[in-house]
Amino acid sequence: MTGWLLHVDWWVTDPTEDISENEMKPLRVYVADNRDGIFDVRGVKTIAEFNQSTIIRLAKKKGLGFGGVRTRFYTEAMLATLPLRSLPNEDKISKAVEVINSHPLYLNAIPSKPPSRIPAYDAARYTFGSCVAYAEAMCELIGLQPVAIMGKRFAPLYEGTKRSADGYFHSIVVHPNGMGEDAWGIAPIEDVAGRFGAIEFEISANVHQEVVKNYNRTSNENYEAELKIARELVARYRLDA
């Protein structure tokens, strides 16, 4: 109904270990935006509020012991293949739609998805880790200038934002009017940086090119695979916009 992104929070005994969903315990399925908004049956919350009121409570209730939470996002088709306690059911979904529509205040409290035609799952993939490839695809196919965003100061809750030594955390393209664009669509660069919690930042075309070189040097096959998919997404969803 919103076009936002399906998430599952899983409990894992070792949050640093890379394991499959079959080795995790599901805690909650919910929808989230591309900032810190969570849209759950209990209401519209921030990530911090949701963790305190729902995720921590569920983990304690289940007596899961030591461990931590791992969040992953999925398409609708992927969700149906996961080892959840309750799999998607079309009859229950239809009833849920009726209930949600009967509570317009709830729907109105959910921010609209940005005007990008790219599905939320793909937009998220090209936010966390593959943004460089998307920016390069946009440059190749549309001719916009790719730049790196380097954070200089972050909001308290975002101090853990993954970034390099020079503060690099995301690549975008810049329009002639100064607006930025990534897989989520066109927005002021301040808004894009704000999604990652950056209060102060700089942009640099040179740093972006250094990041491209690093990817080509250290993980060329993965980068080329992501670039190919990014080109397909841009050609399918962005060129016709």
Side-chain angles (χ1 to χ4, degrees), residues 65-175:
F66 293 105
V69 176
R70 179 167 295 168
T71 301
R72 290 184 175 174
F73 55 87
Y74 303 93
T75 64
E76 288 187 73
M78 293 165 67
L79 195 72
T81 68
L82 300 176
L84 303 173
R85 294 187 302 276
S86 178
L87 291 175
N89 176 290
E90 290 302 324
D91 289 337
K92 291 181 178 179
I93 292 171
S94 296
K95 291 177 182 177
V97 168
E98 293 178 6
V99 172
I100 293 169
N101 278 326
S102 70
H103 292 79
L105 289 178
Y106 175 72
L107 271 179
N108 291 339
I110 297 175
S112 298
K113 181 178 172 290
S116 169
R117 294 172 55 194
I118 295 175
Y121 175 80
D122 293 303
R125 284 191 64 249
Y126 284 93
T127 299
F128 305 110
S130 299
C131 57
V132 178
Y134 188 85
E136 284 295 293
M138 287 286 288
C139 177
E140 290 179 14
L141 299 179
I142 298 181
L144 295 170
Q145 174 67 56
V147 300
I149 308 180
M150 294 92 70
K152 301 303 177 184
R153 187 163 66 93
F154 289 82
L157 292 178
Y158 291 85
E159 289 295 343
T161 295
K162 188 176 180 181
R163 53 192 185 274
S164 63
D166 60 2
Y168 169 79
F169 62 87
H170 193 45
S171 283
I172 62 171
V173 292
V174 178
H175 288 255

Side-chain angles (χ1 to χ4, degrees), residues 184-197:
W184 289 106
I186 301 171
I189 298 176
E190 293 81 3
D191 289 356
V192 178
R195 296 205 314 257
F196 299 84

Side-chain angles (χ1 to χ4, degrees), residues 1 9 15 33 59 70 91 110 127 137 151 174 177 199 222 239:
M1 296 176 71
D9 274 4
D33 63 14
R70 179 167 295 168
D91 289 337
I110 297 175
T127 299
V174 178
N177 64 0
I199 299 172
N222 288 339
L239 290 180

Side-chain angles (χ1 to χ4, degrees), residues 20 38 40 53 67 86 105 177 221:
S20 71
I38 304 292
D40 184 66
S53 67
S86 178
L105 289 178
N177 64 0
E221 289 187 7

